[in-house]
Amino acid sequence: MTAPPEVWSIASVADAARARAAVDRLATDGGAPTLERVRFLTALTARLRHCLGAGGAWELRLHVRQSAPGQEGRLEVSLSPAGEGEPDPEDETPALTCPLPHQPARTGRRVAGSLPQALLRADEDTAAVLSLLDEQENLVRLHREELHHTNQGVLALHADLEAAARAQRELLEAERTARTAAERARRLLTFLGDASAAITSSLSYTAILRRLSDMLVPEYAAQLDVWLFDEEEYEDHDDERPHRVREHSAAAVAAARTGRPQHAAAHPGALPGVDDLPPSALSPERPLLAIPLVAQRLLGVLTLTAPGPRFDEDTSTMLVELARRVGVALDHAHRYQQSRNTAEALQRAQLTDLPTPPGLLLAARYLPATWGMNIGGDWYDAFLQPDGSLLAVIGDVTGHGLHAAVVMGQLRTALRAYAVENATPGEILTRLHRMLGHLQPELYATALIARFRPGEPKVVWASAGHPPAVVRAADGTVRVLEAKPGVMLGIPLPYVYTDQRAELPAGSSLVLYTDGLVERRGQGIDPGIARLGRALEALTTPELEQDLDAAADALLKPLLYDSERDDDVCLLLCHTVTPTARKRPRKSDRSPSDSEPPESRPARGSVKDTRREGGFRESL
């Protein structure tokens, strides 16, 4: 419940003082806290001064707001010009309020006293405020002392934290340095492993040096020179041969003489295991690192020009180890090339020239593998029997290299010996099977023998596990002789090979080949035989009878143009003609203006070298 407001007229300073004194007594009687009461009276005094300064008559309305039991009431005071009534609640100058813990016993009119009494009470209020200020100053002083001690502790803690942070930074820097060194070592080891894999995956001297240059320049060397003492031994018959450096640095010469790595620069490099020399006249601005290439013997010297102002220790250690592996790879390439050349020479020596019987044209091709040691073992042969028949032979010995070439020669010689008795293809293969199983029990071979008799429009043949022959009829149709072949020669079980017969009238062609022509990794042999059939079907009878060598090249081209050969290839092309047909011109009868086919055409029965791995140019 709220009592009606009391209204005080304010027209002079005395009116204002009496009103303020009445309000003070009410607030005091209502038990208002001293600070709240002083703040309230101070604000009221300021408004009263404002009203007196504005002039005119003013009304002070005094409300005592009673509250519910257990709750505080409040004292509200508002000022407004006389005659305007209650002020608007939304007025910009709200009423002043003071909490009243309990209801005042008297109203404002009854509590109003003399001004001196009000002044004394004001002094009492001032004393109470000053007492509170003293208490607050004491508290502030205590807080300042605590703050000082706290600041001292904070400063000490800050110093400790700074020391700990400094130690942490040093540890982090040491860890970062160690991590950087470990990452650099890991990167160098990774590069060394990748480079070793790249150079050891090839058995070509030029490919090894080309890959070495691609890997080292420009990150690890601004320039790379390779000096091989026996360069002629490393030639691998590539069209693009390495450029031979004729002038070598003093560091390279010292490395060749001492067998130790040499570092030539204006300042010592202090590299582990490397001797220091004065700067080279060939590279006065940048350091040189000359490293011997050693396998079982000293092969040459690798000279590197620094990509920057110097070689660091870790990089030089890696380069020395890489040079050692390059030396081993070059030695392997040299030994491989020697074995390959020997096997190829033996293979070439055992391939025969083809006979020229009446009514039959022959053309043959032998292409060694373009990479790997898969040379030797594939062969062809064609010769006349005492009764005038011609035997065309194609074969493949398992394995490769020199040993396979030797076994191939033994089989070829034995086959010719057995054929002297006019034996049939099946009988010859049966004897070869027994011979190979007795003399070379760990080697096997495939072979196909075809016999042509003059005047007979058919061919008798037998196969020992060899890919089937392909026949082109005179009308251009192509078929595969798919009779079940016998077992491979040398398989440890008795076997008798049977003869097969196929019609082969004049104008027909028979193609014998080894698996290197038609077999591709991941594809098997059937797709290759189908490609061979399409290539044979594309030839015409006039093309076959006019130039069988060109026809043989035309068969090879679509089967070999898109891949490197990892196996030998043998092809024996037989074409029957009528006695009245014009014979093909011999190579010696051809005009000098006759152009060779895309694959340079060899003489009949000769070996054709088709290896190509590109060259490497050395630079100083």
Side-chain angles (χ1 to χ4, degrees):
M1 182 174 181
T2 303
E6 295 183 11
V7 180
W8 292 71
S9 296
I10 307 298
S12 64
V13 174
D15 294 337
R18 281 191 293 270
R20 181 187 181 283
V23 173
D24 183 13
R25 291 299 299 272
L26 279 176
T28 303
D29 290 346
T34 302
L35 286 179
E36 295 293 336
R37 182 164 50 82
V38 171
R39 291 192 185 99
F40 173 71
L41 293 174
T42 301
L44 176 60
T45 302
R47 290 197 182 185
L48 288 172
R49 287 175 180 172
H50 174 74
C51 293
L52 293 173
W58 293 79
E59 290 180 349
L60 184 146
R61 286 178 172 78
L62 182 62
H63 293 262
V64 178
R65 304 286 187 183
Q66 296 179 355
S67 58
Q71 294 183 358
E72 289 185 347
R74 69 179 185 275
L75 177 62
E76 292 183 358
V77 176
S78 61
L79 287 167
S80 61
E84 289 189 0
E86 289 282 346
D88 189 356
E90 297 182 357
D91 191 4
E92 294 182 358
T93 305
L96 296 174
T97 62
C98 179
L100 297 177
H102 54 266
Q103 185 71 21
R106 295 168 293 177
T107 63
R109 295 289 182 182
R110 287 183 288 179
V111 301
S114 65
L115 291 179
Q117 292 176 345
L119 183 59
L120 290 175
R121 282 196 302 272
D123 290 340
E124 292 174 359
D125 294 339
T126 302
V129 171
L130 290 176
S131 176
L132 291 174
L133 287 176
D134 290 339
E135 292 177 2
Q136 294 299 320
E137 286 181 356
N138 291 332
L139 291 175
V140 169
R141 184 176 66 256
L142 292 175
H143 288 318
R144 284 177 178 173
E145 292 176 357
E146 291 180 358
L147 182 60
H148 175 72
H149 293 305
T150 303
N151 288 340
Q152 294 298 322
V154 169
L155 290 176
L157 179 61
H158 179 73
D160 293 340
L161 292 176
E162 181 65 25
R166 189 181 308 109
Q168 183 71 16
R169 285 194 298 270
E170 292 174 355
L171 289 175
L172 289 175
E173 185 64 27
E175 181 183 0
R176 187 179 299 109
T177 302
R179 189 184 299 275
T180 301
E183 178 62 23
R184 176 173 175 77
R186 185 199 63 79
R187 186 170 62 86
L188 289 176
L189 287 175
T190 301
F191 173 79
L192 179 61
D194 294 343
S196 301
I199 61 177
T200 56
S201 64
S202 175
L203 290 173
S204 167
Y205 148 72
T206 52
I208 292 172
L209 296 184
R210 187 189 315 114
R211 293 175 186 178
L212 181 65
S213 177
D214 293 342
M215 290 182 295
L216 292 181
V217 179
E219 182 174 0
Y220 295 101
Q223 192 171 330
L224 177 149
D225 299 330
V226 178
W227 174 20
L228 295 176
F229 302 149
D230 301 319
E231 289 190 86
E232 291 79 6
E233 296 184 11
Y234 290 89
E235 296 294 342
D236 53 6
H237 308 291
D238 289 341
D239 292 340
E240 185 181 351
R241 298 184 180 182
H243 173 67
R244 300 173 182 173
V245 179
R246 297 301 182 185
E247 188 176 9
H248 306 288
S249 65
V253 174
R257 185 179 66 254
T258 63
R260 287 178 52 81
Q262 305 292 322
H263 176 260
H267 303 284
L271 303 177
V274 180
D275 299 336
D276 285 312
L277 294 175
S280 172
L282 298 180
S283 180
E285 301 297 330
R286 290 193 176 186
L288 294 182
L289 184 62
I291 310 172
L293 299 175
V294 181
Q296 297 181 358
R297 59 188 179 91
L298 186 61
L299 305 177
V301 177
L302 171 66
T303 303
L304 304 172
T305 303
R310 61 185 299 273
F311 288 101
D312 64 76
E313 294 183 5
D314 294 339
T315 301
S316 67
T317 301
M318 182 274 294
L319 292 174
V320 170
E321 175 60 21
L322 179 60
R324 185 189 67 80
R325 301 184 185 189
V326 170
V328 173
L330 290 174
D331 185 60
H332 288 171
H334 175 58
R335 294 174 182 272
Y336 156 78
Q337 193 60 44
Q338 284 184 327
S339 299
R340 180 186 174 99
N341 291 343
T342 301
E344 186 176 336
L346 180 60
Q347 185 84 1
R348 183 185 296 111
Q350 296 186 101
L351 296 176
T352 182
D353 288 336
L354 298 177
T356 56
L360 186 65
L361 302 178
L362 298 174
R365 291 289 182 271
Y366 169 73
L367 304 179
T370 55
W371 62 277
M373 271 300 299
N374 298 342
I375 293 181
D378 290 21
W379 92 96
Y380 66 85
D381 200 1
F383 56 91
L384 295 174
Q385 288 184 287
D387 63 355
S389 302
L390 182 134
L391 289 184
V393 184
I394 198 84
D396 186 0
V397 177
T398 59
H400 299 283
L402 187 60
H403 185 54
V406 171
V407 174
M408 180 272 291
Q410 294 173 348
L411 286 177
R412 175 178 173 274
T413 301
L415 190 150
R416 285 198 171 214
Y418 296 147
V420 170
E421 301 176 1
N422 292 324
T424 65
E427 294 171 346
I428 296 173
L429 289 179
T430 301
R431 296 177 183 178
L432 284 177
H433 177 61
R434 291 197 297 266
M435 183 210 77
L436 187 61
H438 176 68
L439 296 180
Q440 299 287 345
E442 296 181 356
L443 279 182
Y444 310 109
T446 65
L448 191 151
I449 303 175
R451 185 181 66 183
F452 299 88
R453 287 188 182 277
E456 288 188 5
K458 64 179 61 178
V459 61
V460 179
W461 59 278
S463 174
H466 200 79
V470 180
V471 175
R472 178 191 181 278
D475 59 0
T477 59
V478 174
R479 71 182 190 277
V480 179
L481 300 183
E482 294 181 341
K484 182 179 180 180
V487 300
M488 294 178 65
L489 298 175
I491 294 294
L493 56 87
Y495 192 82
V496 177
Y497 296 88
T498 58
D499 294 320
Q500 308 288 336
R501 287 172 173 77
E503 296 297 325
L504 201 69
S508 302
S509 300
L510 178 70
V511 180
L512 309 180
Y513 55 91
T514 57
D515 57 355
L517 179 65
V518 295
E519 189 173 21
R520 295 294 177 270
R521 293 183 183 274
Q523 295 184 2
I525 198 173
D526 292 336
I529 295 176
R531 287 196 301 270
L532 175 61
R534 290 192 294 270
L536 184 60
E537 190 176 18
L539 298 175
T540 63
T541 300
E543 290 175 340
L544 291 164
E545 295 183 349
Q546 291 176 10
D547 194 343
L548 199 63
D549 285 318
D553 290 329
L555 287 178
L556 292 176
K557 184 176 181 180
L559 277 79
L560 302 179
Y561 80 97
D562 61 345
S563 65
E564 288 189 336
R565 298 184 300 278
D566 58 357
D567 196 2
D568 291 0
V569 172
C570 272
L571 173 72
L572 183 57
L573 177 58
C574 312
H575 182 74
T576 59
V577 295
T578 58
T580 59
R582 181 176 64 85
K583 290 186 178 181
R584 62 169 177 167
R586 296 179 181 269
K587 290 184 182 290
S588 58
D589 299 333
R590 294 179 187 168
S591 164
S593 63
D594 291 342
S595 60
E596 294 292 317
E599 301 251 351
S600 57
R601 188 177 299 161
R604 289 177 297 175
S606 63
V607 177
K608 183 178 182 184
D609 188 353
T610 60
R611 292 168 296 155
R612 178 182 299 272
E613 291 197 45
F616 169 85
R617 293 191 176 274
E618 301 171 65
S619 59
L620 183 62

